[in-house]
Amino acid sequence: MSFEINGDELIVHPKIIFKHFNDFASMKDARNLMLMALMPKGKQGRLAEIPDFPGVEPVKRAIIIDVPIFDPNEMKLPMEAFNVSKNASPNVHEQLKKDPIYEYVKQSENEDSEILALVSAAGFDQYKRVHDRFLDLLEVPLSKGELKKKREEEDKDPDQRKSIVPEVLVMSKELLKIEDFPVHASLEPNSTLEDGWVDTLPGKGLEPKKLVALDCEMCKTVNGYAVTRVALIDREHKELINELVKPTEEITDYVTHISGVDEQSLVGVNTTLADIQKKIQSFVDGDTILVGHGLVNDMKCLKMRHPYIIDTSIIYHHKNGPPYKPSLRDLTTRYLKRTIQVKDEDKKPGEERGHDPCEDAVASLELLERKLRYGLNYGLTGLSQTESVLDFLKRSGQNGAIIECNAPLSTLMRQKLAESDQKDYYSEKSDEDVAQKIIDEHCHKDLIVARFDLPEVTEEERRAKFMSLFEKIYEKMEKNTAYCITSGYRFNKQRKELREKRVEYKKKLKKVGLSEIPLEERWSIEDEHLLEQVADATRRGFIFASIKNT
């Protein structure tokens, strides 16, 4: 650690010292490192320590910057390396030593013992989509006390300022595809309809659109599931359709304990799938938002496509969070305080067997209405257990700013930031504007979390652009400012192509037999292993950190 003598006083400059540990770091670790640096005492973290013995000057401010450069995979960092050092990764250490960034992030004059950077790894979901680093930096987990308080607030009267309109919750084309919904021609004009399938018809441009809830009961046939009962309910809970449907295929299992439909139920029923499609089309068109729970199954069995869908299995989370999906029964118990889908053995004598699709459709509508009153975050386990870093700082008696260019923030995070009383979220049009805003806000803020877009084509151009901007920021930094740079590419073409191949294969497998899918379009064990390897390699990044002492 460096020091200076001022008269009779010894002044020791604060220093970040990375630790050795056999694990990847996370964005939570990077954020906590900067928050720890701002603490007056006890500066021991998972990633590093900042000695705080008598005479060490305190860290005054902190800055985190996320950039799409210095990618471990492109720099051929070994998969087993958890840090950048002469021992763990000599080739990458040598590359970084030759880069201008080295002067700002080097940890020691002794290269043999220096840990120049830590290796981070972003999480990924069941689709192998890698989490966004910047978003992870912005989300802070709530303490148990704060969680309890938040849960209690969920059951209070809603804050009218948080209310939303249904259109906000309509599934995007991308989400429809991810959830394997059939996509309507208005969203995908080049798509074709298979035999027996229909699209809902165009509307008249009605605004706002009307809400209609759908629920179907199914049976098993020799060709898969088929619809046996359809319920359609309007926003006032009026039954538009409540009708039995007779499948044309041979039924192998009526699934009566769930559907409530048995062989006797369908005696004398002449309504076909085509008939029920036409009836639904008479109520559901381009002026309608279709509401339901797990609607992908209903739409496939109905062989219908509709562009405007709100699914309560998506706008509400499972109690354990994604990727698990909540059941309608659990959501109704938790949020509507009543029980639906009572098991046959628990029903009173004379009560109808199986599920009541009208009851299920009404429950979906009521869950949606509740969400509209309480706001976007309501019922989301993931985001209801986190707060923005701005809110965290505010509760800690500190302040901060979020500054970004072209960050693909989720609607929910944007809502969180919009709800912040501090108004310290800045979405800038260029990286130059981001750098200037960091300089402008730095002297007023304890912590700044920033993101550069760096759209330049080559790595060399991106590095040069970043260094020119960072040098200006560094020059204006106050003495004893801690800074952290998180790096790594945000996109990988091979990972994207593999993910798309798997999605397309699963779609085709549901429509046709394996024998009808060409060998080159099939998803193999080798493909799965390759996707896992590529996702593991390309989700890595670097964490650099230091403190300006002059």
Side-chain angles (χ1 to χ4, degrees):
M1 296 177 72
S2 61
F3 63 90
E4 59 184 277
I5 298 175
N6 186 1
D8 295 331
E9 185 181 5
L10 175 66
I11 300 174
V12 182
H13 300 145
K15 179 176 177 59
I16 292 174
I17 302 173
F18 281 136
K19 294 180 178 180
H20 283 276
F21 62 99
N22 295 320
D23 196 3
F24 291 117
S26 66
M27 291 304 99
K28 175 184 175 181
D29 292 324
R31 182 187 61 242
N32 286 350
L33 173 59
M34 292 295 99
L35 292 173
M36 178 196 74
L38 294 171
M39 293 169 58
K41 290 184 180 181
K43 304 197 176 190
Q44 287 277 350
R46 196 171 93 97
L47 296 189
E49 64 175 313
I50 302 175
D52 61 347
F53 51 80
V56 178
E57 290 187 308
V59 173
K60 293 182 178 180
R61 308 193 186 282
I63 299 173
I64 305 174
I65 302 175
D66 184 68
V67 288
I69 51 177
F70 301 117
D71 184 76
N73 191 53
E74 288 296 310
M75 296 176 74
K76 310 300 181 187
L77 181 81
M79 282 298 297
E80 64 273 13
F82 296 116
N83 63 56
V84 178
S85 62
K86 286 191 76 171
N87 182 44
S89 45
N91 290 337
V92 175
H93 185 271
E94 190 62 28
Q95 290 179 60
L96 289 171
K97 262 187 64 183
K98 296 175 181 178
D99 194 273
I101 198 173
Y102 181 69
E103 290 304 314
Y104 297 94
V105 299
K106 68 178 180 180
Q107 294 284 310
S108 170
E109 296 299 331
N110 183 355
E111 293 179 12
D112 294 330
S113 62
E114 174 185 51
I115 297 178
L116 186 55
L118 297 178
V119 182
S120 67
F124 51 72
D125 61 17
Q126 75 270 32
Y127 304 109
K128 294 297 185 288
R129 290 176 301 185
V130 175
H131 292 182
D132 183 81
R133 283 197 310 268
F134 189 61
L135 189 58
D136 284 347
L137 286 169
L138 303 187
E139 292 182 356
V140 183
L142 288 168
S143 66
K144 288 184 178 179
E146 287 297 318
L147 268 176
K148 182 180 178 182
K149 187 190 301 183
K150 201 155 184 124
R151 297 254 166 84
E152 290 171 350
E153 288 175 354
E154 274 191 339
D155 294 324
K156 292 181 180 178
D157 291 334
D159 181 348
Q160 294 301 319
R161 292 175 299 174
K162 295 183 179 180
S163 64
I164 55 175
V165 295
E167 281 74 9
V168 173
L169 299 173
V170 170
M171 296 174 70
S172 65
K173 175 183 170 181
E174 180 188 22
L175 185 54
L176 287 169
K177 286 186 171 183
I178 288 171
E179 296 294 335
D180 205 26
F181 274 82
V183 180
H184 193 273
S186 64
L187 299 178
E188 203 154 77
N190 295 327
S191 63
T192 56
L193 278 172
E194 298 180 23
D195 288 344
W197 281 74
V198 297
D199 275 345
T200 53
L201 304 175
K204 298 177 181 178
L206 182 69
E207 293 293 343
K209 297 183 187 298
K210 60 186 177 183
L211 297 178
V212 171
L214 171 73
D215 189 75
C216 299
E217 301 299 340
M218 292 93 162
C219 68
K220 292 181 181 178
T221 75
V222 291
N223 292 324
Y225 282 94
V227 171
T228 54
R229 188 175 175 186
V230 175
L232 201 65
I233 307 292
D234 70 13
R235 197 168 187 174
E236 286 69 45
H237 301 179
K238 175 185 173 184
E239 290 184 13
L240 304 176
I241 299 174
N242 183 10
E243 196 163 338
L244 291 166
V245 180
K246 189 152 190 176
T248 55
E249 305 94 336
E250 178 188 345
I251 297 174
T252 58
D253 186 352
Y254 284 89
V255 202
T256 306
H257 66 289
I258 296 175
S259 68
V261 178
D262 56 18
E263 185 175 4
Q264 186 62 35
S265 304
L266 297 180
V267 172
V269 173
N270 298 313
T271 301
T272 65
L273 179 63
D275 293 331
I276 207 69
Q277 287 173 337
K278 288 179 182 177
K279 287 189 178 182
I280 292 173
Q281 283 178 317
S282 69
F283 293 108
V284 180
D285 58 20
D287 294 331
T288 311
I289 296 174
L290 201 55
V291 182
H293 190 88
L295 274 177
V296 62
N297 302 312
D298 301 79
M299 300 306 286
K300 284 181 176 179
C301 282
L302 286 169
K303 295 186 177 180
M304 295 188 74
R305 306 191 304 187
H306 185 65
Y308 310 112
I309 287 174
I310 296 177
D311 196 319
T312 49
S313 73
I314 293 171
I315 64 172
Y316 283 87
H317 283 176
H318 187 279
K319 61 183 178 181
N320 294 327
Y324 307 106
K325 292 289 179 68
S327 70
L328 182 60
R329 188 175 191 270
D330 286 347
L331 291 180
T332 304
T333 302
R334 166 69 182 89
Y335 295 104
L336 304 181
K337 312 301 183 189
R338 69 170 186 269
T339 303
I340 63 169
Q341 300 177 351
V342 178
K343 295 180 181 178
D344 287 347
E345 58 266 30
D346 296 330
K347 290 184 176 180
K348 298 176 183 178
E351 287 188 330
E352 189 177 342
R353 289 183 299 166
H355 296 178
D356 178 354
C358 293
E359 180 184 53
D360 291 357
V362 168
S364 294
L365 265 177
E366 290 183 354
L367 285 166
L368 171 59
E369 296 284 8
R370 193 168 180 84
K371 179 95 171 181
L372 297 179
R373 291 196 303 273
Y374 281 84
L376 272 174
N377 293 348
Y378 185 74
L380 297 183
T381 303
L383 277 177
S384 68
Q385 293 188 31
T386 66
E387 60 186 336
S388 76
V389 67
L390 295 182
D391 290 329
F392 174 84
L393 289 167
K394 183 180 179 182
R395 286 197 303 104
S396 306
Q398 297 170 305
N399 60 18
I402 295 169
I403 307 168
E404 52 84 5
C405 176
N406 289 333
L409 297 184
S410 65
T411 304
L412 292 163
M413 177 50 70
R414 290 189 186 277
Q415 177 85 358
K416 275 181 176 288
L417 296 175
E419 290 171 359
S420 173
D421 294 333
Q422 301 170 86
K423 309 298 182 188
D424 287 322
Y425 164 53
Y426 304 94
S427 183
E428 303 295 338
K429 294 181 179 178
S430 69
D431 289 326
E432 288 80 4
D433 291 340
V434 170
Q436 188 57 52
K437 184 61 71 173
I438 292 172
I439 292 169
D440 294 342
E441 294 295 315
H442 169 58
C443 60
H444 310 296
K445 300 293 187 291
D446 296 300
L447 174 66
I448 289 176
V449 184
R451 177 194 191 271
F452 284 125
D453 188 34
L454 300 182
E456 287 73 20
V457 176
T458 68
E459 171 78 0
E460 183 180 4
E461 290 172 325
R462 289 192 294 272
R463 288 191 191 185
K465 178 68 171 292
F466 170 67
M467 286 311 305
S468 70
L469 297 173
F470 183 74
E471 285 167 357
K472 293 176 183 177
I473 294 169
Y474 187 86
E475 182 183 349
K476 298 294 183 180
M477 274 187 202
E478 293 184 0
K479 181 182 177 183
N480 295 335
T481 293
Y483 53 91
C484 175
I485 300 168
T486 58
S487 77
Y489 291 168
R490 297 168 180 148
F491 171 81
N492 179 268
K493 183 180 178 181
Q494 186 182 15
R495 186 179 69 220
K496 180 175 181 289
E497 289 174 347
L498 283 167
R499 278 189 52 245
E500 289 175 347
K501 180 182 178 182
R502 185 171 69 167
V503 169
E504 287 303 312
Y505 168 75
K506 288 188 174 182
K507 284 182 180 178
K508 288 177 182 176
L509 194 61
K510 290 179 180 179
K511 294 179 181 179
V512 299
L514 181 62
S515 60
E516 296 185 41
I517 302 177
L519 281 174
E520 65 274 13
E521 295 179 11
R522 295 182 188 179
W523 185 254
S524 65
I525 293 294
E526 290 76 18
D527 288 330
E528 186 67 29
H529 289 164
L530 179 59
L531 177 56
E532 288 178 1
Q533 291 169 5
V534 171
D536 275 332
T538 59
R539 69 192 181 111
R540 296 179 300 165
F542 291 127
I543 295 176
F544 304 96
S546 191
I547 300 174
K548 181 179 180 180
N549 293 144
T550 57

